[in-house]
Amino acid sequence: MKNKNNPYAELAVSMIRTGILGYGGGPSVIPLIRHDAVARYGWLTDEEFGETLAIANALPGPIATKMAAYLGYRLKGVKGAVLSVLAHILPSSLAMLLLLSAVHYLAGSKAVAGMIAAVSPVIAVMLGIMAYEFAQKAFKGLGAIAGIVSLALALLLLEVLHIHPAIVIVLFLGYGTVHYRILAKRNKGGTA
């Protein structure tokens, strides 16, 4: 299934697949992109993917497109980025154009409403699994207490105070930098 001789083909197949199967917008596509980038093709480690996702979330624009562009650029430079983004957005763009003529019919269709209702739990589970795995990494990297405090603080900032997610991500990126510098100084001081 892997084609190690042609990274362009791997990129195209992966991004077409995630573009077609990523129902529900950017957040639902991320687990699919993660599977291809980490497990299937080994383009990134799990840690690199998590770091890339955090930085991509802090930037404006659709997350799935930013991830596709980054993966393409990392593998094959500008040409890879262009191919990756086009392969990711082209299938859904063509499908939108084809279905545009039937939008009024489909909008009231009970079958379409049922399909949407049936797919929603799958997307919720995929996002839940990814959130759980990232929480495990937070606990491992920050420690249990700092991990729990960070999760609670993020929930407070996002859901109670309604601070924009990009601001929260930038705050936590800054905290993570400070946290690891303190640990590095502590470890360096303890061993010296």
Side-chain angles (χ1 to χ4, degrees):
M1 189 145 199
K2 292 183 184 181
N3 185 0
K4 289 294 184 188
N5 297 328
N6 192 344
Y8 288 111
E10 287 179 349
L11 271 172
V13 168
S14 175
M15 292 303 117
I16 288 170
R17 182 176 32 247
T18 59
I20 290 172
L21 298 176
Y23 175 82
S28 66
V29 177
I30 297 305
L32 300 173
I33 293 175
R34 179 176 169 258
H35 173 74
D36 277 3
V38 174
R40 180 171 292 186
Y41 296 112
W43 297 327
L44 301 171
T45 66
D46 220 14
E47 290 76 23
E48 289 172 325
F49 185 86
E51 292 167 1
T52 303
L53 180 62
I55 292 169
N57 266 319
L59 300 172
I63 184 68
T65 309
K66 290 182 282 189
M67 293 299 288
Y70 174 77
L71 288 172
Y73 185 79
R74 179 174 170 134
L75 292 176
K76 295 307 277 177
V78 174
K79 289 180 183 178
V82 171
L83 170 72
S84 189
V85 169
L86 287 176
H88 183 73
I89 65 172
L90 198 57
S92 58
S93 298
L94 292 175
M96 282 176 35
L97 291 173
L98 292 174
L99 294 174
L100 194 57
S101 61
V103 75
H104 294 294
Y105 171 76
L106 293 175
S109 170
K110 290 182 181 181
V112 171
M115 289 168 40
I116 291 169
V119 169
S120 295
V122 175
I123 293 168
V125 168
M126 287 170 47
L127 290 172
I129 290 169
M130 191 172 75
Y132 174 74
E133 289 172 355
F134 279 124
Q136 281 183 317
K137 288 179 185 162
F139 290 173
K140 182 180 177 185
L142 297 173
I145 293 171
I148 291 170
V149 169
S150 295
L151 287 172
L153 184 58
L155 185 65
L156 173 76
L157 293 172
L158 292 168
E159 294 300 318
V160 176
L161 300 177
H162 302 290
I163 295 176
H164 194 278
I167 295 169
V168 175
I169 290 167
V170 168
L171 289 173
F172 277 85
L173 285 171
Y175 167 73
T177 302
V178 171
H179 180 85
Y180 282 109
R181 283 186 180 172
I182 290 170
L183 285 179
K185 284 182 182 179
R186 185 183 306 160
N187 291 339
K188 188 177 183 181
T191 58

